[in-house]
Amino acid sequence: MGEASPVGTVTHRGVVYPSELDHMGHMNVVGYAAKLDQATWSFFNDIGLTPSFLRSSGRAAAAVKYETVYERELLAGDVVTVRTRLTRLGRTSFAFRHEMWNGETGERVATADCTGVLIDRATRRPVPWPDDLAQRLRALIPG
């Protein structure tokens, strides 16, 4: 379950609030999703899918697959860190992995494997990555 060594860029740091708990006293699915969504937008910014690039290019990143695995429970007051890394780049698609870690225990508490597609906002159709961005993104893929 919990890996010992986090990999990837820090894309979110936060805390679990009582309002994010379920009826059993653990962070609920909505809480995980919100923190992972914030990590996604931070990651996009870090890799060049900045808000200004997306607006000026008429592009968007559309999610096509999102799989979350919950490994450990989080309680109110727990500090969490999300680390993210790019795992694959296709002609129009990309995949990345979020890993959420408990800041106190160092245990991995969740992973999310995500696949997205770069699309044209007007046509809602996939478009190829700009060459300069594709080259920069390929350099981020481990191995």
Side-chain angles (χ1 to χ4, degrees):
M1 285 223 186
E3 285 181 7
S5 57
V7 177
T9 302
V10 172
T11 52
H12 178 76
R13 288 184 57 81
V15 65
V16 177
Y17 289 101
S19 62
E20 296 174 305
L21 303 182
D22 62 19
H23 64 285
M24 296 183 297
H26 308 122
M27 187 164 75
N28 63 31
V29 172
V30 175
Y32 283 92
K35 289 174 186 344
L36 294 170
D37 185 61
Q38 290 174 11
T40 295
W41 289 104
S42 179
F43 177 65
F44 284 1
N45 187 75
D46 292 349
I47 66 172
L49 293 176
T50 62
S52 61
F53 167 78
L54 294 172
R55 284 189 290 263
S56 68
S57 67
R59 302 294 185 244
V64 295
K65 183 178 178 185
Y66 202 101
E67 182 177 48
T68 304
V69 176
Y70 306 97
E71 298 179 3
R72 300 257 193 277
E73 296 165 339
L74 289 167
L75 307 173
D78 284 346
V79 173
V80 297
T81 300
V82 178
R83 291 179 170 271
T84 308
R85 67 182 183 274
L86 191 65
T87 57
R88 185 183 58 75
L89 185 72
R91 192 175 78 76
T92 63
S93 65
F94 65 119
F96 55 97
R97 172 172 255 225
H98 291 305
E99 293 185 350
M100 185 181 289
W101 298 82
N102 182 311
E104 180 181 357
T105 68
E107 294 178 308
R108 191 175 69 191
V109 298
T111 61
D113 290 297
C114 315
T115 302
V117 175
L118 186 67
I119 65 167
D120 180 289
R121 284 185 190 207
T123 65
R124 299 288 200 236
R125 304 292 306 157
V127 293
W129 294 99
D131 290 338
D132 59 332
L133 183 55
Q135 185 176 357
R136 193 167 62 237
L137 294 176
R138 278 191 201 93
L140 298 176
I141 300 171

